[in-house]
Amino acid sequence: MQTNCVVDGKFVPKVGMIFKILEEIGKFYKHYSKLAGFSTKIRNTTRDEDKIKNQLIVCSREGRWKSKISPTLKTNPSAGLNCPARIYVHIMKDVGLWIISKVILNHSHPCCADQAEMLKQYRELSMFVHRTIETHEEAGIRPSKTYQSFVAAAGSHRELGLIEKDVRNYITREVRNIFEEDDAKEFGKSRAAFDYFGDVVSFDTTYNTNRYNLVLGSFVGVNHHGQSTLLGCALIKNEDIQSFKWLFECWLCCMGGKAPKGILTDQCASIQRAIELCMPITIHRWCI
């Protein structure tokens, strides 16, 4: 099947068109492809040492692939197979300008200009979307809810210009990396504080998280201003000796293996026994 996409002639690539730089051709063809309803990719680039001589830009459904699905079960067996649409460009050495020397406009698949904004090449996340995703992720809001809030604000899925997968990909690729970097910075601060204010540490498990019903265990020291300083914390599900022993061992490892001279804790027998197994130090108890 051959399909010609109807686009205003001034935006259609033609043999003989001349551009000052290669990037201008890329932008021109990308703009045309969005109007026509398909996406592009660079198939081949030829270089002479570090300088580009020519380039082939094709429809993103140009390549051949073998589906694992049985041919009898395929609903669209020709989609994505060897689409011929492309442009070929090269530099004119005598003048240093770029020229389009070959153009094929026909496609082996339907092009839908009305849905071009849903193609991956044209989906973009604005800075506002980035910040909203980050805020919602930190607050524990599900990605699907975040996406629906964008849809509601835009009025429809098509007006939004992104899909739910883009939200999930951004969380996986960017947001969690940001949180991990922040966690690393806070860990560094806690370890530095322990070196100065870690002689006597309190360990408290009186807090409980509402969302997951987990116990929050926190290690706290006192700085030279008499202010509390966090030296580490963890969420624990089981309040038994082995769980507390594992926690204390991990915390000691993070603090460079240096145990405090004394530790303040409540009257929980599991905590006290775990401390005795991990740290031969003085245990001070308080009543809650």
Side-chain angles (χ1 to χ4, degrees), residues 271-288:
I271 294 177
Q272 294 170 20
R273 180 54 182 157
I275 293 174
E276 291 170 356
L277 292 172
C278 297
M279 298 178 281
I281 60 178
T282 305
I283 303 174
H284 303 277
R285 302 175 180 85
W286 74 75
C287 295
I288 299 178

Side-chain angles (χ1 to χ4, degrees), residues 127 129-135 137-138 169-186:
M127 187 62 67
V129 170
H130 288 172
R131 295 292 173 263
T132 302
I133 294 174
E134 292 165 11
T135 302
E137 177 68 6
E138 190 172 7
N169 286 344
Y170 182 73
I171 291 173
T172 302
R173 185 178 63 252
E174 302 292 342
V175 177
R176 290 176 183 168
N177 286 339
I178 294 172
F179 290 163
E180 287 173 3
E181 290 174 4
D182 290 343
D183 288 344
K185 291 178 182 177
E186 290 303 317

Side-chain angles (χ1 to χ4, degrees), residues 62-283:
E62 173 264 354
R64 288 185 176 275
W65 49 265
K66 293 182 179 180
S67 175
K68 295 181 181 179
I69 303 174
S70 169
T72 58
L73 299 177
K74 289 181 181 178
T75 57
N76 194 6
S78 63
L81 291 177
N82 205 27
C83 180
R86 64 193 58 208
I87 64 169
Y88 180 81
V89 302
H90 70 270
I91 192 168
M92 299 185 290
K93 292 183 178 180
D94 52 339
V95 292
L97 298 176
W98 287 86
I99 185 170
I100 298 179
S101 55
K102 183 176 182 179
V103 176
I104 299 177
L105 300 179
N106 292 333
H107 294 264
S108 63
H109 57 89
C111 295
C112 187
D114 292 340
Q115 297 181 8
E117 67 274 4
M118 289 294 101
L119 295 173
K120 184 177 181 179
Q121 185 175 18
Y122 309 117
R123 300 198 307 264
E124 296 181 358
L125 276 64
S126 66
M127 187 62 67
F128 169 76
V129 170
H130 288 172
R131 295 292 173 263
T132 302
I133 294 174
E134 292 165 11
T135 302
H136 284 197
E137 177 68 6
E138 190 172 7
I141 298 174
R142 295 195 303 273
S144 59
K145 294 293 185 181
T146 298
Y147 175 69
Q148 288 303 323
S149 70
F150 292 141
V151 173
S156 70
H157 295 269
R158 286 180 55 186
E159 294 296 326
L160 179 57
L162 59 95
I163 61 177
E164 186 175 329
K165 185 179 179 180
D166 295 323
V167 175
R168 295 183 182 277
N169 286 344
Y170 182 73
I171 291 173
T172 302
R173 185 178 63 252
E174 302 292 342
V175 177
R176 290 176 183 168
N177 286 339
I178 294 172
F179 290 163
E180 287 173 3
E181 290 174 4
D182 290 343
D183 288 344
K185 291 178 182 177
E186 290 303 317
F187 164 70
K189 292 179 182 178
S190 294
R191 188 167 185 174
F194 179 77
D195 289 337
Y196 288 99
F197 316 118
D199 286 345
V200 178
V201 175
S202 71
F203 178 71
D204 188 10
T205 58
T206 57
Y207 295 98
N208 191 290
T209 59
N210 293 327
R211 185 174 182 182
Y212 299 109
N213 195 32
L214 298 174
V215 174
L216 174 65
S218 59
F219 297 89
V220 179
V222 178
N223 63 23
H224 51 269
H225 296 295
Q227 299 169 328
S228 297
T229 180
L230 184 64
L231 304 176
C233 61
L235 294 172
I236 23 182
K237 185 175 182 180
N238 300 314
E239 296 182 79
D240 53 26
I241 295 174
Q242 288 303 314
S243 296
F244 285 123
K245 181 175 180 291
W246 170 84
L247 173 58
F248 294 140
E249 288 174 343
C250 290
W251 179 71
L252 280 175
C253 180
C254 292
M255 294 301 110
K258 177 185 176 182
K261 296 178 181 178
I263 190 165
L264 297 168
T265 184
D266 57 27
Q267 294 181 340
C268 174
S270 296
I271 294 177
Q272 294 170 20
R273 180 54 182 157
I275 293 174
E276 291 170 356
L277 292 172
C278 297
M279 298 178 281
I281 60 178
T282 305
I283 303 174

Side-chain angles (χ1 to χ4, degrees), residues 14-22 24-25 46 48 51-55 88-102:
K14 301 177 182 67
V15 172
M17 282 185 166
I18 296 175
F19 299 81
K20 291 182 178 180
I21 58 176
L22 180 60
E24 288 182 354
I25 298 180
T46 303
D48 183 4
K51 294 182 179 180
I52 297 177
K53 296 171 53 180
N54 54 63
Q55 194 168 80
Y88 180 81
V89 302
H90 70 270
I91 192 168
M92 299 185 290
K93 292 183 178 180
D94 52 339
V95 292
L97 298 176
W98 287 86
I99 185 170
I100 298 179
S101 55
K102 183 176 182 179

